[in-house]
Every structure is written in C-alpha cells, then in structure tokens.
C-alpha cells in the first residue's frame, strides 16, 4: 500500500488512475482555479470549460502526434456506441466492411455493423479461444470495402497487434480502448480510431474518436443527429452538453503523461512491467500464459494455473494482500492483471513477489 492507503487495482476497467491526477482533482474539486465552483457545476459554454476542453484536445494531439487532417471528438456512449456509429457513418459506397475477429469486442462490433451493411469476416481466432492475432495477407482485404475493422488490444484475451495491417486505400478503423496512449502508434495508418476513457485515460463517460476529415460527412442525413460525426466535428464536441467532468479528468491524465515524458516514456515503462510479469509466468511451473508469445498484450496479462480451485485461491489471497481485481473476465476465468499506464512498476513487483510466494506455498 502507498501513503494514501491505496490498493493496487488490476481491474480491466474502470481501472486505476494516476494518484497525482486524483489528488489534483481533489484540490480543485470545490473551487476550480479560483472561479468559485467545481468543474461539475460549470456551463459547458463558459470560458473556463472552453479552456479545459481545448487544452485536453491539444495535449492529446501532442501526445499522439495527431495530424491536422484528423478531428478529435469527445463523445458519450462508450466504446460500444462506436460499434453502431462507425457503420452508420462510414457505410456509404459498397456498404461492405472487412472485420478481423480477435475477441468479443470485435464480434460485437461486427454484429452491429451487420445491421447496416455487409460484414465480411477475413479471419477469426475464435476456434482457439482468441489466443492469437490471425495474420491476414494484404491481397485478402476487399478493395471495395468502406472500411476494415480491427480491435488493436483485446482486453479480455490479452492479445494485441504488433503490426498494423496494410489495407491499402480502404480506411482502417481500430478500437484502441484498452491501449490508447500506452505505446507509440502511427495514426496516419488509420482512418478512424476510438477509445472509451475508462481503461487508460480517466473515468467512464467520455469516448475519444479520432477521425480523418475525409471520412466525416459521408453518412446519410437520416441517421440520428447525435450519432453523426459531422455534427460533433462541426461543433467542436459541444453540439450538446458533453461529459464535462470526464473530459476534465482525461485532460489531467494527458498532462500527467506529458510530465512522465510522453507516450514513448510510457511505452518503455509498460514494456518493462509486462516483461517482468510475463517473465515470472514463463519461469514458473505453476502459472502459464495461454496467449501466443508474439501477440501478448502489454496492458492485459492473462494467466492460469490450470486448476480452477487454485486460481480462486490465488485471487482471494492476492486480494488480502491489496492486489485487487485479478480475476479473469467472467467468460474466460483464470487470472488477468491489467497493467495500464497508471499501474506503477511497484504494483507489478508486488504482484510478482506474491506469485513467487504463492507458488512456493502451494506446490
Ligand atoms: C471495454 C472495452 C469496450 C467497451 O467499452 P464500453 O465503454 O463499456 O462500451 C470496447 N472495446 C474494448 C477493446 C474494450 O476493452
């Protein structure tokens, strides 16, 4: 435990936030920078809030090196609403989209897209419980698809892409919910990316969409106004009341990441944390990681003992040591340690020490 009596929270989301971010929010809670009120009480049209949202966007642009030809939108509805907004906005010519199915989130996105157009599944790793990322040869991508969709990091199964698929002229769309800002990414390879904030950015309630300008305005004008990217882009995410406080919190996290040295510095720490944890699993005779080595996630580390009773005992004893939420997703069981940007190296070290001790006591 640290000085604020905080546990190490390995939850997949909502998840740990950096302590300095929470402390700053606490200091500013009832009187934001001398304006006499909380950010929660402020008009979204006030000059104070305008400064908050503009700075958040600029800091995100700096951190992710977002080209000027892309818009940044702060929306609501979570990652899941994007499963609907993407087909509603991007289906316009062939009304066809390619999907690579690497887990439940990709599947849900494909099911939603299939309500509005034709979904072409290029590959799936479902037959192997999504333990790897399927390779797709460039010639397999449809030339006439309106977009191609991937889930970059698979939160539940602990896999991630390490190479961005080459879809040629077809816009690549990716769900970055559980990896945004954790490693460097060349955004020019994508037409649209999105992420719900509650994994690696801030509290639930805001979803970030980064969209190339030529993909805005393709939607039929019959789609609901609130689901049209063009409306949100035109109004700078202020068409209606945005999730003001969640945007403020996200902005604090962006400032914190900048102070840490930016995304490249986060990536370096994330690689060190993941290497320590995977190394411990690989060196153990009790724990095993089911995921193909080349596709292992830096953010969600999945592991099992192979014995469900032992898994449960591990999770319960870890909890008693302040190592919380290590249970795997309810659909897969086992263990999962989500080690997002806000999880300090100390948390992973504490977990690894506990794993070694647990193994010694339970063989
Ligand atoms: C959590 C998650 C989602 C769903 O996000 P909501 O904001 O709950 O809708 C979608 N995709 C991925 C990869 C996720 O990890």
């Amino acid at each position: 435990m640290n000085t604020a009596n905080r546990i190490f929270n390995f939850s997949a989301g909502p998840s740990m936030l950096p302590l300095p971010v929470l402390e700053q929010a606490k200091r500013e809670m009832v009187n934001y920078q001398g304006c006499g009120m909380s950010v929660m009480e402020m008009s979204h049209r006030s000059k104070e809030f305008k400064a908050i949202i503009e700075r958040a966007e600029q800091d995100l642009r700096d951190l992710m090196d977002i080209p000027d030809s892309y818009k940044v939108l702060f929306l609501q509805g979570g990652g899941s609403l994007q499963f609907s907004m993407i087909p509603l906005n991007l289906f316009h010519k062939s009304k066809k989209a390619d999907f690579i199915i690497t887990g439940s989130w990709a599947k849900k996105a494909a099911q939603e897209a299939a309500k509005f157009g034709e979904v072409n599944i290029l590959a799936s790793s479902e037959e192997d419980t999504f333990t790897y990322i399927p390779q797709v040869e460039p010639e397999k991508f449809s030339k006439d698809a309106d977009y191609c969709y991937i889930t970059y990091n698979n939160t539940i199964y602990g896999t991630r892409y390490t190479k961005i698929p080459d879809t040629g002229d077809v816009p690549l769309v990716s769900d970055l919910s559980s990896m945004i800002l954790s490693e460097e990414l060349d955004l020019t390879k994508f037409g649209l990316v999105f992420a719900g904030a509650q994994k690696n950015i801030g509290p639930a309630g805001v979803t970030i969409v980064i969209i190339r300008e030529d993909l805005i305005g393709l939607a039929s004008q019959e789609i609901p106004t609130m689901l049209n990217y063009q409306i949100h882009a035109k109004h700078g995410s202020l068409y209606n009341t945005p999730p003001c406080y969640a945007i403020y919190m996200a902005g604090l996290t962006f400032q914190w990441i900048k102070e840490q040295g930016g995304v490249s510095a986060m990536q370096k720490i994330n690689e060190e944390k993941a290497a320590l944890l995977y190394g411990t699993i690989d060196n153990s005779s009790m724990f095993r990681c089911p995921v193909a080595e080349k596709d292992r996630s830096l953010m969600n580390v999945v592991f099992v003992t192979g014995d469900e009773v032992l898994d449960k005992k591990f999770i319960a004893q870890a909890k008693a040591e302040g190592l919380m939420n290590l249970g795997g997703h309810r659909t897969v069981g086992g263990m999962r340690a989500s080690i997002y940007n806000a999880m300090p190296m100390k948390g992973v070290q504490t977990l690894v020490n506990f794993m070694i001790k647990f193994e010694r006591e339970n063989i």
Side-chain angles (χ1 to χ4, degrees), residues 84-93 95 116 146 215-231:
S84 321
M85 278 180 82
I86 290 162
L88 279 170
N89 283 269
L90 300 193
F91 276 149
H92 69 292
K93 277 201 311 244
K95 298 199 189 319
F116 308 107
D146 284 335
L215 300 176
I216 297 175
L218 304 177
S220 146
Q221 293 308 309
E222 278 157 33
I223 71 168
T225 306
M226 279 295 290
L227 301 185
N228 194 332
Y229 292 130
Q230 191 176 30
I231 293 288

Side-chain angles (χ1 to χ4, degrees), residues 123-136:
S124 167
S125 48
E126 186 165 20
E127 84 293 343
D128 215 355
T129 341
F130 299 120
T131 48
Y132 69 99
I133 300 285
Q135 296 291 319
V136 179

